[in-house]
């Protein structure tokens, strides 16, 4: 297995695979309430088998070249993840996403991890457009989209039903030429 350094604080980005289901479940248990405030994943990953099934889904997506999941480790502990929820190499589009447990928030981990994943998608796989879909009330995730240099394309009013309430979703994106220009200026 490989790990990519995310900076001098020892944070790493690594693929998440089904054999890591116990560690993934422990991470989800630590962050269940915090993550669940904005993300339905804690409702899906509730025990070891559902943890394994979730990671198996992403292993199958990776095998089909249709998605990816990478964990964020800090201090040797899995504290979050970034995903390419959708990935269409032929069409040149992907949708990225993320989550963190509360102890890891505010350290720039998601921004660094998403930057690495998007850079791979654009530079290695030739993706032209990366989207970031986020609830309008999720300010931390919107802040990540801004730090990544994304542009808000629009708002889908009342499009997301979550725990019995309708939420607006914002679509943010960055195109490969803009990504490259921002990286060159960094």
């Amino acid at each position: 297995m490989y790990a990519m350094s995310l900076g001098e604080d020892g944070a790493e980005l690594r693929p998440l695979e089904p054999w890591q289901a116990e560690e993934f479940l422990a991470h989800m248990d630590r962050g269940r309430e915090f993550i669940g405030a904005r993300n339905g994943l804690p409702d899906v990953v509730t025990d070891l088998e559902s943890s394994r099934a979730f990671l198996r889904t992403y292993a199958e997506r990776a095998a089909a070249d249709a998605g990816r999941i990478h964990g964020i480790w800090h201090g040797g502990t899995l504290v979050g993840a970034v995903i390419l929820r959708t990935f269409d190499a032929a069409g040149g589009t992907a949708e990225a996403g993320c989550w963190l447990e509360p102890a890891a928030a505010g350290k720039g981990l998601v921004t660094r991890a998403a930057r690495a994943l998007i850079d791979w998608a654009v530079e290695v796989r030739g993706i032209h457009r990366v989207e970031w879909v986020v609830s309008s009330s999720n300010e931390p995730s919107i802040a990540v989209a801004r730090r990544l240099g994304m542009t808000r394309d629009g708002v889908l009013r009342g499009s997301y039903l979550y725990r019995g309430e309708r939420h607006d979703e914002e679509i943010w994106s960055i195109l490969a030429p803009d990504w490259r220009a921002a990286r060159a200026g960094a």
Side-chain angles (χ1 to χ4, degrees):
M1 178 163 86
Y2 71 88
M4 174 187 285
S5 173
L6 293 176
E8 295 179 15
D9 62 356
E12 294 180 330
L13 187 66
R14 303 182 207 158
L16 266 170
E17 299 175 0
W19 64 268
Q20 296 164 302
E22 282 186 48
E23 186 174 14
F24 187 67
L25 178 61
H27 152 63
M28 196 55 52
D29 286 342
R30 286 189 305 272
R32 190 166 300 283
E33 187 176 320
F34 182 78
I35 296 166
R38 297 181 176 97
N39 184 321
L41 186 57
D43 298 342
V44 174
V45 177
T46 58
D47 58 18
L48 187 56
E49 185 49 42
S50 59
S51 178
R52 188 173 291 112
F54 180 80
L55 294 177
R56 192 176 313 117
T57 296
Y58 271 91
E60 290 166 2
R61 285 183 186 180
D65 202 25
R68 299 282 186 283
I69 184 169
H70 283 73
I72 302 168
W73 276 262
H74 192 254
T77 301
L78 177 64
V79 295
V82 289
I83 60 172
L84 291 172
R85 200 179 74 71
T86 63
F87 186 85
D88 178 359
T93 61
E95 179 191 331
C98 67
W99 63 86
L100 278 177
E101 58 187 66
K107 298 176 182 358
L109 295 170
V110 163
T111 302
R112 290 183 272 157
R115 201 171 272 137
L117 195 60
I118 293 169
D119 204 50
W120 173 83
V122 170
E123 298 302 343
V124 175
R125 297 307 311 281
I127 294 297
H128 175 72
R129 175 185 169 88
V130 178
E131 294 183 346
W132 192 267
V133 179
V134 57
S135 170
S136 291
S137 65
N138 191 344
E139 284 300 323
S141 189
I142 291 169
V144 170
R146 285 188 179 113
R147 284 191 296 274
L148 292 170
M150 293 185 164
T151 299
R152 188 174 92 161
D153 294 332
V155 177
L156 302 173
R157 297 178 304 131
S159 63
Y160 182 56
L161 180 62
Y162 182 59
R163 295 183 175 173
E165 287 185 42
R166 290 247 164 231
H167 298 266
D168 294 349
E169 287 181 299
E170 296 185 11
I171 310 296
W172 291 72
S173 70
I174 192 157
L175 303 180
D178 301 327
W179 180 259
R180 289 184 184 111
R183 299 296 283 156

